[in-house]
Amino acid sequence: MSEPSSPGESQCGAPRFFVGCAEDESEGLDDYTSMMTDMELYEDDLEDDSPPERQIVVGICCMMKKSKSKPMTQILERLCKFEYITVVIFPEDVILNEPVEKWPLCDCLISFHSKGFPLDKAVSYVKLRNPLLINDLNMQYYIQDRREVYRILQEEGIDLPRYAVLNRDPDKPDECNLVEGEDQVEVNGEVFLKPFVEKPVSAEDHNVYIYYPTSAGGGSQRLFRKIGSRSSVYSPESSVRKTGSYIYEEFMPTDGTDVKVYTVGPDYAHAEARKSPALDGKVERDSEGKEIRYPVMLTAMEKLVARKVCLAFKQTVCGFDLLRANGHSYVCDVNGFSFVKNSMKYYDDCAKILGNIVMRELAPQFQIPWSIPTEAEDIPIVPTTSGTMMELRCVIAVIRHGDRTPKQKMKMEVRNPMFFELFEKYGGYKMGKLKLKKPKQLQEVLDITRTLLADIGQHTDCEIEEKSSKLEQLKTVLEMYGHFSGINRKVQLTYLPHGQPKTSSEEEDTRKEGPSILLVLKWGGELTPAGRVQAEELGRAFRCMYPGGQGDYAGFPGCGLLRLHSTYRHDLKIYASDEGRVQMTAAAFAKGLLALEGELTPILVQMVKSANMNGLLDNDIESLSGCQQRVKARLHEIMQKDEIFTEEDFDRLAPTCSSSLVNSMKAVENPVSMCDQVYTLVQSLTSQIRKRLEDPKSADLQLYHSETLEMMLQRWSKLERDFRMKSGRYDISKIPDIYDCVKYDVQHNSSLGLEDTLELFKLSRALANVVIPQEYGINKVEKLDIAYAYCLPLVKKIQLDLQRTHEDESVNKLHPLYSRGVLSPGRHVRTRLYFTSESHVHSLLSIFRYGGLLDEVKDQQWKRAMDYLSEVTELNYMTQIVIMLYEDNNKVHPRFHVELHFSPGVKVSEEESAPMGFGFRPASAENDQKQTDPGSLENLVRDEPDRALPLSETMSTQRKSPLIRNRKTGSMEVSHSATYYTAVSLWVHTDVWIEDCLLSSLLSSAGFEGCSMVPSIYPLETLHNSLSLKQVNEFLTTVCENAGDSHTRTTRGNAHSTTLTVSVVLTLKYNGTPTSLTECCPPLFHCASALIGRPGVSTAALSYSTWRKLSQHSLF
C-alpha cells in the first residue's frame, strides 16, 4: 500500500497485529514483550518501533480459518497502518478452551460466528468487557435462522421473493400444512407453482433445492456448499423433502446471474456478480483456482437496500445476496460477516472505513488527535471506441427450432357431457377455447376416453363407429410412453355453439344440432438429439459474431462473447414460444453460446423466457382464420387440376416470380398426377412396414429416438388415410406432413432399407416447396397481411430492441474502479434471441422482402439479396434472421449502422448445393479499391481486445460457413489455433473473394486440426450491410402502421365509429409482477400495441413520454 492518505494512519512501514494473551499475563497491553508477533516478517521492525503510550486495541475473535484467511490478513495489514490502532488476534485455542475472563483485552471487537464458533462465550465476553462492537453478536443468532432473516427483511420493507414457512414442529401444527401436486405445492394455504425454491430454515444448511415444472422436464437442481468445481447437481427427483422444516419461495428468473453485496458500514457497498450455482452447477474458476466474480454497479435503490440490511441486522461488515429479476431487486439471503476475495481496492476501502469507524468512536475518549478524511468521487465511465472502429451494440436473432420428430394431429367433434364438464372446470368458456398440457389434465382426458370406449362397445351405427376409431386413437396416443412428462402431447378444446359446420358439399348431412366441442389432439414434434446438437453447435458458433477479447477465454473461438458475458457487460435475454421443442432449442443454444454444462432443464428455467403472454411468438392468433384460410382454399383449388401447369397457373400461383417456386412447379408439372405417385409410394411404404412387423426378427427393433415400428406404422397409416379423401381428391394440407415424415425417416431411419423412400422424398419435397411457402400468401399483399397477423408484436419488439441503445439501471454494470484487466468496462452489448416456429420465420422474412425496406432498382446489394432469397426453397430447422446494430461514436450522422443477415438453416442433405449468396459481411460495390485494412490478418493476429471491426472498410469472407464446431475434453473446450482460425474465417475482409483452396491452405498452415465447421447448417449470408438505424426504424414504423390499416380494413364492418383520442388502461403482467397505468392521449398505436402485444388492440395508445419510460423498463 502506498503512503497513507488519512491523517490518523501510521507513517511506519510495518503493521502491528498480535496473537493475544490472557488477562493475567498482560494488563492493558503495558508489557508487549510477553506477546508473540503474528507475522515473523515484521519481528525486527517491531523491536525497533515501540508503540505509543496508548493504543486503541482492535480484537479479532473468530475461528482461525477465518482470522488467517487472505482477505482478513490483507485488511488487518492495512488497518494496522493507522498510527493509533493495534490489532490483537484471539488464539483459537483460547476461544474454545479458556473462560472469557482469560481472553485478551480489547477496546473494539470484531467477532463473528462460523462453524464451531462458541457464540455464547463471545456474547458473555462482550457483557464482561463492553468493547465497541463492529458486528452485533446477538443479531448473529437471528442470521443463523432463515425464518428470522426473512421476518426482519419484511419488517424493514425490503423486497424479497414471495415465501411461506413450513415448520415441522409438533408444537405448531397449524404451520405444517403441505399439499404437494404435480407442478405445485401448497404451504399453509400459499400456492407455489414450479419452479420454486426449497430452503432449510437453518442458514448453516446449504442444501437448497430448486424444483422444475414438468413442462421443462421436471426434476430438481440440488445446491450445496462448493465442492471442487461443483456447486449443484441436477436430479430427476421431483418430490419435495418430507422431513425437516423449510422455506418455500417463488423462483426468480435472473438470467443465470447472482449478485453478492458486501457492506462496510451503512454507506459503503461493494457488489460482485457471478454465474448462478443453479444454472449448470459448474463453478467458474480463474488460473489460481478462485471463483470468477466481477464487480458490478449497484443502483440507487439497491444502495438503499444495502444500507437497510446493514442497519437492520446491526452488522457493519455484512454480506447478502441480491436477485435481479423483472426489473426489480430482491434480497434472498443475509450471510452476516463476509469479506470480498481478491480485490485490492476493496481491501483498501474496507480497512480505511473500519479504521475511521474505530477512530471516530474511540479517539475522543483517549484524547487522540484525529479528523475524518474526505473520500474521492467515483470516476465516470468513459467510452472506449476510437478512430473508425464501430462498437457492436445490439444483436437480434429470430431462430427456428431444431430438428424434431414428425408432428401429428387428430381432430374429432365431441358432445359427451364429460367433455363439457372438463371444458368448464378449466375455464374454457372465458375464451371459448382451452389448451390442456399438464399431466393431470391429460390424465383426465384419458379417463374420459376410457370410460366412453367401455360404453361404446354395444353401439353399432356408423357415427358411433367413427367416433370409436377416433377415441381409440386418442387413447393410444395418450397412453404412449406409459407416463406424461414434458410437453410432447397436448389437447386443444374449442367450443362450437352450433356444432361443427360442413367443410365440403360432399360431406353427408348427418350432423346434430346444438353445441359441441372440437377436440384437437397434437403429439410428436419433440426436439430430437440431433436437434439439440444443432442448436448447441449453432450457439457455440454464434460467439464468433461478437468482437474479440483476451484473457481466460482467448484459447478458443468466441472469446469476445464469453469475455463480455463473464464480465457482465452482456445484456442477454432469450425468448421462446411455449412449444417444448422451441424452448429446448433455446436452452441448447444458450448452453453452446455461454459454454454451459449439464442438463437443459436448469438452463431452460433460468435463461429462457416464455413469450406466450402477449402473442410475441405464438401461433394461436384468431386473425389468421380470414386471409390465410382464403389463401389455402385457393391453393387447394389450383393444386386439384389434373393437367400440366399452364402459363395462367404460373401467374396465379407464382405472381412473385420466385425462382424456387417456379422451378418447383416445373418439377411437379401435373399436381394431381404427382399426388397419385406420392399416394402410391405411401401405400408401398405402409405395406413394407407391416411386413417388417410380421417378421419375428423385427419384434424388438428400435428406431431413432425410441420410436417403434408400430408407432412408425401408425403415423404413415394415418397419412395414407387422410391424404386421399373419400371423394378421391387429395387433401393438399397433408403434403407438408408427408414431406415432414419422409424427411425424418430418410435422415434418421435409413438403416431400415425401405424401398422408394428417396423417391417419395424427392416427389413430396417438390410438392411441399410449392405448398408450404404459398400457405403464407400467394401474392405480395396476401403475404404481408398474413405476416402482419403472425408477427406484428415481434416486429414491434424488435423496433424497441433497436431503439434501446442506452442501458437502464437494471442491467449489471461493471464497476470501473474494480475492473482491472477489463479495458472497456462501460461497454454493453444487448443480445435478444427469439426462438419460434416456421410460421414466424416465414412471416418475418416476408415483411423484409415485400414490406418496402429498400428499392431493388436503386440498391444493387438489395437486388442481389432478393435474388438469393428467391432461390431459397425451404426455411428449414435452425433458420436464422439476424440484425446487428453498430455505433460509431465519432459520427453524429449516421451514428448507428444496421446489418441484416440470413441463413436457411439445416441442410436437408449433404449432397445438395445451396443458392449462391455473397457470404457473411461481403464487400460493398462502392469500395472496390484496395486499401490498407486495419482489421487485416496481420493486425488481427495481435487481436486488439474488445473492439469491433471497422465497418467503413471493405469486407469479404470465404463461401463456406464461419461456424465452428469444437471438440470437448471433459469440461474444457479444445481448439488448436482457434483464435487465428476465427480471424481467418470470420473477420478477414479484403477486396477479393477467398477461394476454398486458399482458405484450406491457410488453415493447414495454422495447424488447425480436429475442428470442423458446422457441416449441417448453412452459413449466414449478408442481405445488407449498410443500413442506417433511422432507415430501419422508419421501415418498421411503416410496417406497424400498414399492419394497423390492414387490421382496420378487416374489422371495419364491425365498427360503427372510430375516435381519435383513446383512454388506455394497461395491466402488464410479467412473471407475476403487475404494472398498471392509465393514460389519455393521441393514438400512437405502434407504441401501445407493442406493449399490449395484440393486433386486436392496435388502436390503443400511450403518450410518447409514457411509452419512452416503459420502453426503458427491463421487461422489454
Side-chain angles (χ1 to χ4, degrees):
M1 187 172 173
S2 59
E3 288 291 313
S5 58
S6 175
E9 290 185 22
S10 170
Q11 300 301 312
C12 65
R16 295 178 305 279
F17 56 100
F18 308 91
V19 176
C21 56
E23 180 190 0
D24 56 355
E25 295 174 352
S26 175
E27 185 67 28
L29 295 178
D30 288 332
D31 183 10
Y32 279 94
T33 59
S34 62
M35 293 188 178
M36 291 194 58
T37 180
D38 183 60
M39 300 179 69
E40 294 182 0
L41 177 64
Y42 300 116
E43 281 184 345
D44 295 335
D45 291 331
L46 288 170
E47 292 173 2
D48 298 332
D49 183 22
S50 59
E53 292 185 0
R54 187 62 173 100
Q55 288 278 295
I56 296 175
V57 179
V58 177
I60 310 298
C61 180
C62 60
M63 302 302 284
M64 185 171 65
K65 182 179 179 181
K66 302 293 183 181
S67 63
K68 296 284 189 179
S69 67
K70 179 181 175 182
M72 181 69 85
T73 302
Q74 293 280 344
I75 290 168
L76 293 184
E77 284 182 10
R78 289 161 171 76
L79 188 59
C80 286
K81 294 219 171 192
F82 278 81
E83 184 178 357
Y84 298 101
I85 289 179
T86 298
V87 174
V88 174
I89 298 176
F90 290 20
E92 184 175 297
D93 182 63
V94 170
I95 294 173
L96 296 176
N97 301 316
E98 297 291 340
V100 295
E101 291 79 10
K102 292 190 176 183
W103 286 12
L105 294 179
C106 64
D107 304 303
C108 173
L109 182 67
I110 297 177
S111 181
F112 53 93
H113 178 268
S114 62
K115 187 176 180 180
F117 181 77
L119 184 57
D120 292 344
K121 291 179 71 174
V123 171
S124 299
Y125 175 82
V126 171
K127 289 180 180 178
L128 177 66
R129 302 300 184 191
N130 195 30
L132 171 68
L133 282 179
I134 295 298
N135 279 30
D136 185 89
L137 292 177
N138 287 309
M139 290 300 294
Q140 293 183 29
Y141 289 108
Y142 293 124
I143 293 175
Q144 295 177 54
D145 189 329
R146 288 191 171 98
R147 292 167 294 192
E148 293 298 321
V149 169
Y150 276 33
R151 177 185 63 79
I152 294 170
L153 290 173
Q154 274 192 319
E155 289 175 355
E156 294 297 322
I158 296 171
D159 287 342
L160 64 160
R162 183 176 64 89
Y163 76 99
V165 178
L166 181 73
N167 279 320
R168 286 194 171 99
D169 186 344
D171 298 330
K172 300 178 181 178
D174 57 327
E175 297 180 12
C176 188
N177 297 315
L178 175 70
V179 180
E180 184 173 10
E182 183 73 33
D183 268 333
Q184 67 178 50
V185 289
E186 183 179 326
V187 182
N188 301 327
E190 191 83 16
V191 176
F192 295 89
L193 300 177
K194 292 182 179 178
F196 60 77
V197 183
E198 179 187 63
K199 295 179 176 178
V201 294
S202 170
E204 297 298 301
D205 189 342
H206 297 274
N207 294 293
V208 175
Y209 291 3
I210 301 171
Y211 294 91
Y212 300 124
T214 54
S215 60
S220 56
Q221 193 77 9
R222 305 192 167 191
L223 283 62
F224 44 79
R225 189 179 283 278
K226 290 189 289 287
I227 301 175
S229 63
R230 304 298 305 178
S231 59
S232 72
V233 294
Y234 175 78
S235 167
E237 179 58 53
S238 295
S239 298
V240 300
R241 288 172 277 192
K242 300 301 187 292
T243 58
S245 297
Y246 299 96
I247 290 178
Y248 291 88
E249 69 181 49
E250 191 174 9
F251 177 82
M252 310 304 292
T254 61
D255 298 325
T257 301
D258 284 354
V259 178
K260 312 282 285 187
V261 182
Y262 302 86
T263 70
V264 187
D267 300 317
Y268 178 92
H270 171 96
E272 291 185 341
R274 64 166 185 177
K275 186 175 73 173
S276 169
L279 190 57
D280 64 355
K282 184 177 185 297
V283 179
E284 299 290 345
R285 297 188 182 276
D286 60 19
S287 58
E288 297 180 359
K290 302 291 192 301
E291 182 180 14
I292 294 175
R293 299 181 179 185
Y294 279 88
V296 294
M297 301 286 282
L298 291 175
T299 67
M301 187 61 69
E302 288 169 341
K303 290 175 182 176
L304 181 59
V305 168
R307 179 182 181 83
K308 285 184 174 182
V309 169
C310 179
L311 295 175
F313 290 90
K314 301 178 182 177
Q315 306 292 298
T316 301
V317 179
C318 186
F320 65 92
D321 296 347
L322 267 183
L323 300 177
R324 287 173 167 175
N326 311 333
H328 298 277
S329 297
Y330 305 86
V331 177
C332 66
D333 199 8
V334 177
N335 306 310
F337 194 97
S338 299
F339 280 145
V340 177
K341 302 174 180 66
N342 303 312
S343 171
M344 296 299 122
K345 177 69 170 64
Y346 171 82
Y347 298 153
D348 293 345
D349 292 344
C350 184
K352 185 172 292 185
I353 293 170
L354 289 177
N356 288 338
I357 290 173
V358 172
M359 296 300 294
R360 182 179 66 239
E361 296 294 329
L362 299 179
Q365 69 187 65
F366 293 135
Q367 289 82 45
I368 297 174
W370 181 81
S371 60
I372 300 176
T374 57
E375 295 293 331
E377 295 292 327
D378 283 355
I379 61 170
I381 298 174
V382 295
T384 59
T385 53
S386 61
T388 59
M389 305 294 285
M390 280 195 181
E391 184 177 4
L392 178 63
R393 296 304 306 271
C394 184
V395 176
I396 301 168
V398 179
I399 304 173
R400 189 186 172 193
H401 58 75
D403 179 70
R404 56 162 171 75
T405 60
K407 287 194 298 183
Q408 300 182 73
K409 179 168 66 175
M410 186 270 291
K411 295 182 180 179
M412 63 183 295
E413 187 180 13
V414 295
R415 296 175 183 271
N416 190 279
M418 286 188 287
F419 285 108
F420 284 93
E421 290 170 7
L422 183 68
F423 192 72
E424 182 178 12
K425 176 180 179 181
Y426 291 106
Y429 288 109
K430 293 179 182 177
M431 298 292 293
K433 58 184 179 180
L434 190 62
K435 187 183 294 183
L436 305 176
K437 298 165 61 175
K438 296 182 178 179
K440 181 182 177 183
Q441 296 171 332
L442 295 178
Q443 184 64 52
E444 291 183 62
V445 176
L446 179 57
D447 292 342
I448 293 172
T449 307
R450 287 170 174 167
T451 302
L452 290 177
L453 283 171
D455 296 340
I456 271 177
Q458 52 196 339
H459 299 285
T460 56
D461 61 274
C462 61
E463 182 186 356
I464 295 295
E465 284 299 319
E466 183 179 353
K467 278 191 174 181
S468 177
S469 63
K470 295 273 189 180
L471 287 170
E472 285 286 0
Q473 188 171 9
L474 178 60
K475 175 176 175 287
T476 301
V477 172
L478 290 177
E479 289 178 341
M480 277 172 21
Y481 312 118
H483 61 93
F484 296 115
S485 66
I487 41 179
N488 48 23
R489 285 162 288 183
K490 62 183 174 183
V491 172
Q492 293 174 325
L493 303 177
T494 305
Y495 180 71
L496 304 174
H498 306 295
Q500 190 170 6
K502 291 188 292 183
T503 56
S504 68
S505 59
E506 299 148 357
E507 192 173 303
E508 296 181 18
D509 191 13
T510 58
R511 299 200 172 276
K512 294 181 180 180
E513 295 296 326
S516 66
I517 290 177
L518 177 65
L519 185 151
V520 180
L521 172 67
K522 295 182 178 181
W523 71 100
E526 302 170 56
L527 189 68
T528 64
R532 293 190 180 199
V533 171
Q534 290 164 0
E536 188 173 342
E537 289 195 338
L538 184 62
R540 192 177 297 123
F542 245 62
R543 302 177 200 158
C544 297
M545 291 197 303
Y546 293 79
Q550 294 178 333
D552 295 336
Y553 295 112
F556 57 93
C559 53
L561 179 277
L562 293 174
R563 174 74 166 161
L564 277 172
H565 200 78
S566 69
T567 55
Y568 304 94
R569 295 171 295 158
H570 184 210
D571 175 17
L572 170 67
K573 283 188 171 61
I574 303 174
Y575 298 88
S577 67
D578 66 346
E579 294 174 314
R581 58 182 170 275
V582 179
Q583 294 199 341
M584 285 301 179
T585 298
F589 185 95
K591 181 179 180 180
L593 181 72
L594 302 178
L596 302 174
E597 296 183 357
E599 300 293 327
L600 292 186
T601 295
I603 299 172
L604 169 62
V605 172
Q606 297 200 61
M607 297 296 297
V608 180
K609 300 177 185 299
S610 180
N612 61 350
M613 67 284 189
N614 61 356
L616 188 66
L617 300 170
D618 280 355
N619 290 333
D620 299 331
I621 301 176
E622 292 297 328
S623 56
L624 296 180
S625 57
C627 182
Q628 192 167 34
Q629 291 304 323
R630 291 193 299 272
V631 166
K632 287 185 176 182
R634 197 158 87 253
L635 185 60
H636 186 84
E637 175 195 347
I638 297 172
M639 296 295 288
Q640 294 293 349
K641 292 182 64 175
D642 191 5
E643 59 184 51
I644 295 176
F645 282 129
T646 63
E647 288 297 323
E648 181 184 354
D649 293 327
F650 277 89
D651 291 340
R652 292 179 65 196
L653 192 54
T656 60
C657 300
S658 168
S659 303
S660 60
L661 180 59
V662 170
N663 292 336
S664 296
M665 289 180 67
K666 289 178 180 177
V668 169
E669 293 186 336
N670 182 324
V672 172
S673 174
M674 182 75 81
C675 286
D676 285 337
Q677 296 178 61
V678 167
Y679 182 68
T680 301
L681 290 171
V682 170
Q683 286 181 311
S684 169
L685 194 60
T686 54
S687 175
Q688 292 180 66
I689 298 172
R690 287 190 182 94
K691 288 180 180 178
R692 287 292 183 91
L693 276 171
E694 295 169 0
D695 185 354
K697 297 179 181 178
S698 303
D700 299 323
L701 185 64
Q702 284 286 319
L703 306 182
Y704 183 71
H705 201 42
S706 302
E707 188 180 32
T708 63
L709 274 174
E710 288 89 347
M711 294 163 67
M712 184 182 189
L713 179 60
Q714 283 175 8
R715 58 180 167 89
W716 278 111
S717 297
K718 185 178 186 304
L719 285 173
E720 183 183 345
R721 290 192 305 271
D722 295 346
F723 183 43
R724 191 167 186 171
M725 299 180 290
K726 294 178 181 178
S727 63
R729 304 179 77 187
Y730 291 103
D731 184 351
I732 301 303
S733 67
K734 298 300 176 185
I735 287 174
D737 297 337
I738 294 173
Y739 173 57
D740 192 27
C741 271
V742 72
K743 179 171 69 172
Y744 179 83
D745 287 330
V746 165
Q747 291 179 336
H748 300 303
N749 291 321
S750 58
S751 60
L752 278 177
L754 298 173
E755 296 178 2
D756 299 325
T757 52
L758 289 176
E759 181 67 14
L760 176 58
F761 170 78
K762 175 185 171 184
L763 298 181
S764 63
R765 187 182 189 189
L767 285 167
N769 287 343
V770 174
V771 172
I772 293 175
Q774 299 310 85
E775 284 184 338
Y776 297 98
I778 294 176
N779 58 46
K780 291 183 179 181
V781 174
E782 291 168 342
K783 286 182 181 293
L784 285 173
D785 277 352
I786 292 172
Y788 295 154
Y790 266 114
C791 64
L792 181 59
L794 178 58
V795 169
K796 293 171 179 176
K797 181 65 169 64
I798 290 172
Q799 187 177 27
L800 281 175
D801 293 338
L802 289 172
Q803 289 170 340
R804 289 190 61 203
T805 56
H806 300 288
E807 280 66 38
D808 57 22
E809 286 196 324
S810 66
V811 175
N812 288 325
K813 293 185 179 179
L814 196 62
H815 198 300
L817 291 177
Y818 296 87
S819 308
R820 298 183 180 179
V822 179
L823 300 188
S824 54
R827 167 195 281 158
H828 273 80
V829 176
R830 177 184 302 278
T831 298
R832 294 293 181 268
L833 304 175
Y834 300 96
F835 289 86
T836 185
S837 55
E838 184 179 23
S839 56
H840 273 70
V841 176
H842 269 286
S843 300
L844 186 60
L845 197 60
S846 291
I847 286 175
F848 282 117
R849 289 179 72 178
Y850 307 115
L853 174 59
L854 293 166
D855 188 339
E856 294 181 35
V857 177
K858 297 179 180 178
D859 192 307
Q860 286 303 303
Q861 188 181 16
W862 190 244
K863 174 68 167 61
R864 292 194 299 267
M866 294 303 97
D867 291 343
Y868 161 71
L869 290 177
S870 178
E871 295 178 13
V872 173
T873 58
E874 180 179 356
L875 304 185
N876 203 2
Y877 307 127
M878 305 309 302
T879 293
Q880 309 135 55
I881 300 172
V882 180
I883 302 169
M884 302 178 76
L885 174 67
Y886 292 85
E887 179 180 7
D888 187 348
N889 287 317
N890 296 303
K891 289 185 179 180
V892 177
H893 181 76
R895 182 175 178 178
F896 294 97
H897 167 101
V898 178
E899 295 181 350
L900 182 61
H901 311 284
F902 168 78
S903 164
V906 174
K907 298 177 183 177
V908 177
S909 64
E910 289 298 323
E911 293 76 21
E912 72 174 6
S913 58
M916 288 299 294
F918 295 89
F920 184 72
R921 310 180 79 188
S924 302
E926 296 80 8
N927 296 321
D928 286 335
Q929 68 274 18
K930 183 163 180 72
Q931 48 189 296
T932 303
D933 192 337
S936 63
L937 275 177
E938 293 81 3
N939 286 336
L940 281 169
V941 169
R942 290 192 291 270
D943 188 20
E944 185 175 6
D946 291 344
R947 293 288 181 95
L949 286 178
L951 299 179
S952 59
E953 306 296 336
T954 60
M955 295 184 230
S956 176
T957 61
Q958 74 288 354
R959 282 287 312 131
K960 286 187 180 286
S961 169
L963 309 183
I964 299 167
R965 174 188 293 158
N966 290 316
R967 291 178 293 129
K968 283 204 167 187
T969 305
S971 63
M972 295 298 293
E973 301 194 22
V974 180
S975 175
H976 301 292
S977 305
T979 306
Y980 179 72
Y981 175 68
T982 304
V984 173
S985 65
L986 185 58
W987 300 113
V988 173
H989 45 281
T990 63
D991 60 339
V992 293
W993 297 103
I994 300 178
E995 299 297 334
D996 288 347
C997 57
L998 174 59
L999 179 62
S1000 299
S1001 64
L1002 281 170
L1003 297 182
S1004 174
S1005 63
F1008 189 84
E1009 299 175 356
C1011 299
S1012 63
M1013 294 168 284
V1014 179
S1016 59
I1017 300 177
Y1018 286 115
L1020 277 175
E1021 301 283 353
T1022 296
L1023 303 183
H1024 211 284
N1025 65 356
S1026 58
L1027 298 165
S1028 69
L1029 177 59
K1030 179 183 178 182
Q1031 193 176 6
V1032 174
N1033 188 56
E1034 289 175 351
F1035 164 70
L1036 295 176
T1037 299
T1038 302
V1039 166
C1040 295
E1041 291 172 348
N1042 292 341
D1045 293 342
S1046 173
H1047 178 74
T1048 302
R1049 289 196 301 271
T1050 304
T1051 59
R1052 189 171 289 162
N1054 299 326
H1056 299 288
S1057 64
T1058 58
T1059 57
L1060 295 179
T1061 302
V1062 183
S1063 181
V1064 181
V1065 179
L1066 288 180
T1067 301
L1068 307 175
K1069 203 162 188 182
Y1070 188 83
N1071 285 339
T1073 304
T1075 306
S1076 300
L1077 63 97
T1078 305
E1079 190 75 31
C1080 187
C1081 54
L1084 301 173
F1085 65 87
H1086 61 283
C1087 302
S1089 184
L1091 303 178
I1092 300 172
R1094 294 285 183 186
V1097 291
S1098 59
T1099 54
L1102 297 174
S1103 71
Y1104 182 76
S1105 61
T1106 303
W1107 168 70
R1108 285 301 298 167
K1109 291 177 183 176
L1110 277 173
S1111 70
Q1112 294 300 314
H1113 200 276
S1114 65
L1115 301 188
F1116 306 101

